[in-house]
Amino acid sequence: MIRNWSIRNRVLVLALLPVLVFGSALSIYLVQVRVHDLRQSQINIGTSISSQLAIASEHGVLSNNQGLLQELVGSAMREPDIQSIVIASNDGTVLVNASRSSTKSTGMADDITHGVGIDNQFDDALTFSTPIQLEPAEDGESGKLLEDRGETANQEIHTSRKIGEVTVRLSAHRF
């Protein structure tokens, strides 16, 4: 079949074929890089939200202040990518559980004991878990709150202790 082509057609095919192959390969590479960047951006956002909520909810978990924790979760739920947030104490008791009405929140409160990090068990979402650490305050306030709860503050001054966990579930639809 190629033998019947004119020299003009053969030269045209030989000139365009490498350009088309290189252009296709470059397009595929650039799309993969962009998808990876978007995924990494989503992981950074989820990690940031989860760690900020863990720091902000330290006092609310220590003092068992449900109103403060509800306020924190309510303000975080304004972010459109967040599907649900669970704040639990160290013994696994769920203190606050908020989710959008379109998401299934069954099982998430039960699965908060899976550890720190990222969990991809949901199809269209990423789940981020961050421990709530009791950071020793220089003014002794955290020791007072522990004593109010009936716990002893005999820990070393420079150590932190896990008092709960924040679990944030982000949707992957916008990314």
Side-chain angles (χ1 to χ4, degrees):
M1 179 176 194
I2 295 178
R3 293 179 190 248
N4 296 338
W5 288 2
S6 67
I7 293 181
R8 178 179 175 261
N9 288 342
R10 289 181 190 177
V11 169
L12 189 61
V13 167
L14 287 176
L16 290 179
L17 187 62
V19 171
L20 291 175
V21 169
F22 180 73
S24 299
L26 186 62
S27 297
I28 291 169
Y29 172 74
L30 290 176
V31 167
Q32 286 179 342
V33 166
R34 182 65 179 150
V35 167
H36 179 265
D37 287 346
L38 288 173
R39 185 69 162 183
Q40 193 62 41
S41 173
Q42 185 181 26
I43 289 171
N44 290 342
I45 289 170
T47 303
S48 174
I49 291 171
S50 178
S51 63
Q52 289 175 1
L53 275 174
I55 292 168
S57 62
E58 176 187 344
H59 180 71
V61 171
L62 263 181
S63 63
N64 202 16
N65 188 342
Q66 299 270 332
L68 176 65
L69 294 175
Q70 281 285 20
E71 255 183 68
L72 285 171
V73 169
S75 65
M77 289 296 289
R78 292 184 194 139
E79 181 72 29
D81 296 330
I82 296 178
Q83 289 184 347
S84 61
I85 299 173
V86 175
I87 297 178
S89 64
N90 202 24
D91 62 359
T93 305
V94 175
L95 301 173
V96 177
N97 184 5
S99 64
R100 303 224 185 272
S101 60
S102 63
T103 62
K104 292 181 266 180
S105 64
T106 59
M108 184 170 170
D110 299 331
D111 293 338
I112 59 172
T113 59
H114 63 272
V116 181
I118 303 168
D119 183 14
N120 293 330
Q121 68 183 359
F122 299 104
D123 295 335
D124 293 336
L126 286 175
T127 303
F128 300 88
S129 295
T130 304
I132 302 169
Q133 300 286 340
L134 175 63
E135 298 296 332
E138 292 181 17
D139 60 358
E141 184 177 325
S142 60
K144 290 177 192 172
L145 286 171
L146 282 175
E147 290 170 7
D148 290 344
R149 290 178 60 185
E151 299 179 27
T152 59
N154 59 3
Q155 61 191 8
E156 198 172 309
I157 284 201
H158 299 292
T159 61
S160 60
R161 185 175 72 122
K162 180 181 173 186
I163 59 171
E165 186 172 57
V166 173
T167 305
V168 177
R169 183 175 172 198
L170 288 184
S171 171
H173 290 294
R174 287 184 11 150
F175 288 92

